[in-house]
Amino acid sequence: MAGCAGDAMPLLCAAIEAMADPKFDLAGLNATTGSVVPAIIVNGPVRHALDIPCQAGCLGGVAGPAPAIGRAIRLIMRNVAGQLIDATSQSVYGTPGRVAGIVFGEWEERSPWAPLAERRGVAGDAVTVYGAMGTANICDVVADSADGFLDIIAKSMAYPGANGFLTSSAFSETLCAINPVWAEVIAKAYPAMADVQAYLWDRCALPIDWWRPEYRAPIEALGRIEPDGRVHLTLTPDDVIVMVAGGLGGLHAAMLHSWGTCLTVTRPIR
């Protein structure tokens, strides 16, 4: 159990069950050269019962049981699933998340939209497992409108080296955590989450000319170049996963890029 409390066992079981779903492609995640780690996102009252962080510092640094829960999952990944660097795993760099995992909750009480797990078909206590290439910060001190916040998030997520643009992957997802201050402003303009996803997806794109000429043929072969010459980070708006978490500093969002072939899986915590 790596030091985590027995009360966390149902969450651990749900997380392992989600990771074992073939859609999550655990074998590929274990073996890849990428720095992917399963991010565990928790919804429902169990967040409070287990003291899972969802506010300031939720992605790392908050004292409490989350690192021990993440460590238990990491030990299962290594000792049961067999993820060993330079043996079964060829990860070039790895990530600090491969030590204590990434375990955090959604700040549902401050979210103007339905909880992430509920939107994915599982209401109440639930865990969502997402194949994350670590975390990255998005900062803006100028924007003060819904479109302004969404623009900076989308354009930050769309960078040429993101796994979603790889020609070796047929699909990808991406995830962003929006702080409650920005979320409140965004929801007034876009009360439907589908509209938020559509806005982000449309602007989560780059002109094909941003890549050197030799990239055009393989990207075109995948049918990824739009008539206007843009390439989207993900295939559809549904592949842009959005949630609310983080502190009230109001200047930041977080992006967690997908490794690629891992599809996000949500399971109830029984």
Side-chain angles (χ1 to χ4, degrees):
M1 291 290 284
C4 69
D7 289 347
M9 182 62 82
L11 187 155
L12 288 173
C13 290
I16 298 304
E17 180 184 341
M19 288 163 52
D21 189 309
K23 292 190 301 183
F24 190 68
D25 189 16
L26 183 60
L29 180 149
N30 271 347
T32 181
T33 57
S35 301
V36 60
V37 60
I40 311 301
I41 304 164
V42 184
N43 280 109
V46 71
R47 292 168 300 135
H48 304 305
L50 294 179
D51 197 21
I52 303 297
C54 60
Q55 302 179 25
C58 60
L59 292 181
V62 176
I69 293 171
R71 179 63 175 155
I73 292 170
R74 290 305 307 157
L75 286 173
I76 294 169
M77 291 280 295
R78 187 181 73 187
N79 297 332
V80 179
Q83 187 185 70
L84 301 175
I85 294 294
D86 252 353
T88 56
S89 170
Q90 297 302 313
S91 180
V92 175
Y93 288 105
T95 167
R98 286 192 171 198
V99 178
I102 301 174
V103 180
F104 66 110
E106 181 168 29
W107 196 352
E108 298 178 14
E109 294 79 7
R110 289 299 302 265
S111 175
W113 303 289
L116 173 65
E118 183 177 324
R119 287 185 272 122
R120 295 181 55 82
V122 183
D125 290 339
V127 63
T128 296
V129 178
Y130 170 83
M133 294 288 286
T135 68
N137 187 65
I138 300 169
C139 185
D140 191 288
V141 298
V142 175
D144 59 1
S145 67
D147 288 4
F149 293 140
L150 292 174
D151 273 351
I152 195 66
I153 292 171
K155 291 174 181 176
S156 298
M157 290 196 295
Y159 64 90
N163 273 38
F165 289 125
L166 292 181
T167 56
S168 58
S169 301
F171 56 84
S172 184
E173 297 173 322
T174 192
L175 184 151
C176 70
I178 301 176
N179 74 74
V181 178
W182 288 10
E184 183 178 349
V185 175
I186 293 169
K188 289 178 181 177
Y190 301 99
M193 175 53 74
D195 292 335
V196 175
Q197 292 173 286
Y199 190 108
L200 290 171
W201 177 79
D202 180 61
R203 289 156 180 80
C204 238
L206 291 173
I208 185 61
D209 293 341
W210 276 44
W211 285 272
R212 289 175 53 85
E214 58 264 32
Y215 288 80
R216 186 179 188 99
I219 293 175
E220 196 165 37
L222 291 172
R224 297 286 298 275
I225 304 177
E226 298 291 335
D228 62 4
R230 294 187 303 153
V231 182
H232 288 282
L233 177 63
T234 67
L235 295 183
T236 73
D238 288 340
D239 299 320
V240 180
I241 302 169
V242 181
M243 60 176 294
V244 175
L248 299 176
L251 302 177
H252 306 270
M255 56 183 179
L256 291 77
H257 278 87
S258 170
W259 165 59
T261 62
C262 291
L263 287 176
T264 302
V265 177
T266 300
R267 289 287 185 272
I269 299 174
R270 299 183 175 89

